[in-house]
Amino acid sequence: MRQLILNINDFQFIFSLKAEKAKGRFIRLLPAFGNAKLMTSMEAGSLLKCRFLTSTSFRPAAKSSSFPSLPPIFSFHFGVSSSSSSSSHSPITNSKPNYRVPKPKRDWIADWVSQNDDTVRTLPIYIGAASLLVVLFNRALYGIAPVADASSSQSRADLLTVALAVTNVLTGLVWLSIRPKSIATVDPQGVECKRVCSPLPDYAVTELLWVWESLSDVTRCRSLVIVYENVCVLQIGCAAEASSRKGEAVNVDADKLMRGTLYQGVIKSGAQSYLANLSLYPGKSELPFLPSNTQAVILQPLGDKGIAIIGGDTIRGFTTSDQAWITLIGEKLDSTLAKHARQLQLTSQDSI
Amino acid sequence: MNGISLSQSIPLKPRSAFRAKTSSRKSSATICARLEDSQQQQLNLSVLRFTLGIPGLDESYLPRWIGYGLGSLLLLNHFVDSGSTSITPAQFTTEILGLSLASASIALPYLGKFLKGAQPAYQKAQPDGAEQIFVMSPSLAGIQKEDLAWASYVLLRNTNAIAVLISIQGAICARGYWNIPEENSSKESLLGWFQEKVEKVGLFDLKDTLYFPQEADSEFQEFLPKGACSLLVQPLLQVPSQTANGPQNPEGFILLASTMTYAFTMKDRAWIAAVADKFRDMDKLANL
């Protein structure tokens, strides 16, 4: 599984800033960086590790608009000087000074909430419930009659506090109600394959492979088939194993696929079709090249001459954002493949 | 699905084995509540969700308004009453608790923003005084232009960005809403203006993703659209053709600005990184 990893190892940079004389401020910062691993949610499909640099407590005392301007000799340096030999050193040209840009500060609260999602959702409920008990206990402890009397300031304060406690409890319950349901992924049963239509030029092949890498890294895509001008231009990822040829993937019968109802329906509507739970669709039999336990499929038309079939390993695993991106990627693919339609047509005729 | 069901009680075992309950009623209703594993069945809490139906009003901020309102009333109650009589310890305790709850209520919408499945409260807004532009360096080859045009379009369309700037191997592609000085109206002067700003900020040899979710640093404020809150800078790294898995050289960046705070979710950042990967082999396209 391809991983997009920004290999940032140990960073050290000394960031010194000298304010103008009128501001009379000198700030010297020696930050210690801690790398924060950012894990995607299940829907992202794979591990996408982005290590964001963190900064220490450096913050300009004034707002950014009144940030002191620097004399030319003191400039921000940006560049990577890694202490580890595993990362590469980028060649710094002599013509450009080695600038550095201040790094964004780490958002502790956002990180903590993201990592403790379940706890945060229930926290307001516990706070509200505990507060209700404290209010009752407070009245009992001081011997105040359990009667809500509007003329009594104590009762008014108690009522307001109870209302706030109930607000917290209800908010927690609403947060629980909007918690995304976690659905287990299903490992596709099949064989790995990578078949690319040979007559295509290198840049078109590169683009096709980029589409596969992007979909497999960012979404729950585990299988990708692209058919254009009656030719299967790409079959990659996990595919159903051919019964007659062990270890080999089932070939995509482009003609049969394009005569089928799934393809015809998608081309006629011109819109993407999302089969969120493939097991419920009888049209599944038209996709024998996909692993038998493929959970969800997106059928993306490529203009009116092709289709991209994206198989996923999770029911309802593709988000609306994924669908939007796949739609626009489909338009790009159509534009690229249309330039080589003639070559594909010749390939299709040769195969008949 | 709510786990409450009604079923008739039926004696399950012969009388010799178990004593079945008998009742004068012909049928008796048995109410059983079943709370199963959360993965299979959840409590139906969706009844608590509601909308006031007021366009433009985000109900997720209701706890904050309630916190402000009731907290103010608590303070009012305290000061109105403190003039006449002394505050009792019980009331003082309650008021402290109430103000703490009010503070918690005020903070709840902020915390809710970072929960999984949370939707942004509002959409991106057009910055004041900005005009929509689309410029590209003339030195780019045809296919490079096509790729950059598509990438800038898809980033503006599918993310909360209102402005995008792609710099690769010295070439510039800028699209979206930018506050351009009036004297830079021609294409050449626009490109020169962007180049100058990029050099001034110093985004060279960028290897790390920079994400400012709330306020970009002052160095960027000079050329970002007015009102830009979130800023994301994604490096473009190229792998030398000789070694497929060799060290990656920084060749440019993709800069995205938005008028929303926390505009780019983790999913957005993953897709932006995927778009940046598209330009890995940009130098090969230059000869086409």
Side-chain angles (χ1 to χ4, degrees):
Chain A
M1 189 185 299
R2 180 174 177 274
Q3 294 179 341
L4 290 175
I5 299 175
L6 303 177
N7 287 317
I8 300 132
N9 294 314
D10 299 326
F11 274 97
Q12 290 178 0
F13 84 86
I14 296 176
F15 177 55
S16 62
L17 167 66
K18 184 175 181 181
E20 283 181 345
K21 208 172 181 180
K23 305 288 181 182
R25 182 174 294 157
F26 177 81
I27 302 168
R28 186 170 133 210
L29 175 71
L30 293 172
F33 284 97
N35 289 330
K37 271 192 186 178
L38 211 59
M39 307 296 286
T40 60
S41 63
M42 179 204 74
E43 292 173 337
S46 71
L47 297 178
L48 175 69
K49 297 177 189 176
C50 294
R51 298 186 190 182
F52 290 92
L53 290 182
T54 63
S55 64
T56 59
S57 58
F58 169 73
R59 186 192 298 271
K63 278 285 189 182
S64 56
S65 56
S66 59
F67 196 80
S69 59
L70 307 172
I73 192 169
F74 294 102
S75 54
F76 289 111
H77 288 265
F78 181 81
V80 169
S81 61
S82 170
S83 61
S84 165
S85 58
S86 60
S87 64
S88 66
H89 290 274
S90 56
I92 299 171
T93 58
N94 291 330
S95 59
K96 295 174 187 168
N98 189 18
Y99 289 107
R100 288 181 189 235
V101 179
K103 298 296 189 290
K105 62 183 186 297
R106 184 172 177 178
D107 200 334
W108 296 98
I109 295 175
D111 288 345
W112 178 77
V113 171
S114 301
Q115 290 163 12
N116 299 283
D117 189 86
D118 289 338
T119 306
V120 172
R121 283 180 197 270
T122 55
L123 200 58
I125 300 174
Y126 293 125
I127 291 173
S131 303
L132 286 171
L133 291 173
V134 168
V135 166
L136 291 172
F137 180 72
N138 185 50
R139 281 187 88 98
L141 184 68
Y142 288 97
I144 302 168
V147 174
D149 180 8
S151 62
S152 158
S153 61
Q154 173 69 41
S155 294
R156 287 195 298 267
D158 283 342
L159 277 174
L160 291 171
T161 304
V162 164
L164 285 166
V166 167
T167 301
N168 276 266
V169 168
L170 289 177
T171 304
L173 291 174
V174 168
W175 282 0
L176 281 179
S177 74
I178 61 172
R179 175 170 50 188
K181 200 188 279 187
S182 60
I183 302 174
T185 60
V186 175
D187 281 333
Q189 292 170 355
V191 294
E192 293 292 323
C193 78
K194 182 180 175 182
R195 294 173 180 162
V196 186
C197 180
S198 49
L200 289 173
D202 285 346
Y203 79 90
V205 174
T206 303
E207 184 159 307
L208 290 171
L209 294 177
W210 168 78
V211 170
W212 160 248
E213 285 171 4
S214 301
L215 289 175
S216 60
D217 281 340
V218 184
T219 73
R220 304 303 311 187
C221 170
R222 291 296 169 262
S223 312
L224 177 62
V225 170
I226 297 176
V227 173
Y228 200 83
E229 290 280 7
N230 275 27
V231 173
C232 175
V233 297
L234 180 71
Q235 183 185 10
I236 196 168
C238 195
E241 188 177 10
S243 52
S244 55
R245 304 184 308 275
K246 284 290 179 188
E248 286 192 27
V250 170
N251 284 331
V252 176
D253 189 341
D255 281 336
K256 192 177 176 185
L257 174 70
M258 292 175 88
R259 286 195 305 265
T261 53
L262 279 180
Y263 176 85
Q264 294 294 330
V266 161
I267 293 297
K268 190 177 177 185
S269 68
Q272 185 187 92
S273 176
Y274 180 22
L275 310 179
N277 189 349
L278 189 61
S279 60
L280 301 176
Y281 290 90
K284 183 183 170 185
S285 58
E286 296 183 26
L287 308 170
F289 41 83
L290 292 180
S292 56
N293 59 348
T294 298
Q295 299 296 294
V297 159
I298 284 184
L299 303 170
Q300 176 61 47
L302 305 179
D304 54 0
K305 294 183 183 154
I307 189 170
I309 300 164
I310 301 150
D313 61 0
T314 309
I315 294 176
R316 287 184 294 278
F318 295 104
T319 64
T320 48
S321 170
D322 295 338
Q323 288 179 263
W325 279 94
I326 288 168
T327 300
L328 292 177
I329 287 173
E331 290 177 7
K332 181 69 170 74
L333 278 178
D334 178 39
S335 167
T336 302
L337 293 173
K339 292 176 193 161
H340 308 285
R342 183 69 190 146
Q343 287 165 280
L344 293 171
Q345 283 166 0
L346 290 173
T347 307
S348 169
Q349 286 165 8
D350 289 344
S351 63
I352 294 172
Chain B
M1 182 75 81
N2 207 342
I4 300 175
S5 60
L6 295 173
S7 63
Q8 291 186 345
S9 66
I10 302 169
L12 299 175
K13 295 288 182 183
R15 206 173 271 195
S16 58
F18 292 97
R19 285 185 179 275
K21 284 189 179 178
T22 56
S23 170
S24 58
R25 293 183 187 177
K26 288 186 178 178
S27 64
S28 60
T30 304
I31 300 174
C32 62
R34 292 177 288 132
L35 294 175
E36 296 185 7
D37 180 55
S38 60
Q39 280 198 353
Q40 294 182 7
Q41 200 170 11
Q42 290 179 342
L43 279 173
N44 187 12
L45 298 170
S46 60
V47 294
L48 298 170
R49 294 161 66 185
F50 66 96
T51 177
L52 295 173
I54 302 172
L57 184 71
D58 184 18
E59 283 80 13
S60 65
Y61 279 82
L62 209 53
R64 179 169 292 177
W65 303 326
I66 293 174
Y68 282 132
L70 296 185
S72 307
L73 288 174
L74 265 173
L75 289 173
L76 184 69
N77 181 59
H78 173 85
F79 289 115
V80 161
D81 189 61
S82 65
S84 54
T85 56
S86 61
I87 305 294
T88 61
Q91 185 176 339
F92 189 71
T93 305
T94 301
E95 285 172 355
I96 293 292
L97 180 64
L99 289 175
S100 304
L101 282 171
S103 308
S105 297
I106 291 166
L108 284 178
Y110 175 71
L111 295 177
K113 228 178 350 189
F114 305 116
L115 294 172
K116 287 185 193 134
Q119 299 293 328
Y122 53 94
Q123 302 299 320
K124 56 187 176 183
Q126 181 179 340
D128 294 331
E131 54 179 290
Q132 225 178 117
I133 62 162
F134 181 22
V135 289
M136 273 198 280
S137 296
S139 58
L140 293 164
I143 292 182
Q144 289 176 321
K145 280 187 179 174
E146 196 179 305
D147 280 355
L148 284 169
W150 176 82
S152 56
Y153 168 73
V154 78
L155 289 169
L156 287 172
R157 181 85 184 266
N158 280 352
T159 68
N160 290 314
I162 51 111
V164 59
L165 173 67
I166 304 176
S167 171
I168 181 161
Q169 293 175 347
I172 294 268
C173 170
R175 196 167 185 171
Y177 288 98
W178 292 91
N179 293 106
I180 306 297
E182 284 182 9
E183 60 269 18
N184 297 107
S185 55
S186 70
K187 182 181 166 186
E188 291 75 21
S189 58
L190 258 181
L191 290 169
W193 182 79
F194 277 112
Q195 195 67 41
E196 178 199 327
K197 293 298 177 187
V198 166
E199 286 181 3
K200 193 173 178 184
V201 169
L203 288 169
F204 304 119
D205 302 329
L206 186 64
K207 276 196 174 180
D208 310 327
T209 303
L210 301 180
Y211 179 39
F212 298 87
Q214 286 185 295
E215 190 178 345
D217 208 84
S218 60
E219 285 71 30
F220 296 98
Q221 294 295 341
E222 284 185 21
F223 78 106
L224 285 182
K226 286 193 178 66
C229 300
S230 297
L231 174 69
L232 180 81
V233 187
Q234 176 73 40
L236 301 180
L237 303 173
Q238 262 191 344
V239 177
S241 53
Q242 293 80 12
T243 56
N245 295 319
Q248 295 179 329
N249 297 325
E251 289 291 344
F253 60 87
I254 298 176
L255 184 147
L256 296 163
S258 175
T259 48
M260 290 170 59
T261 56
Y262 296 94
F264 306 108
T265 62
M266 286 167 63
K267 175 72 76 163
D268 288 338
R269 283 177 260 162
W271 275 113
I272 292 165
V275 170
D277 269 357
K278 194 175 193 322
F279 299 101
R280 255 184 328 211
D281 301 317
M282 197 67 170
D283 52 355
K284 291 181 190 170
L285 300 179
N287 301 323
L288 293 173

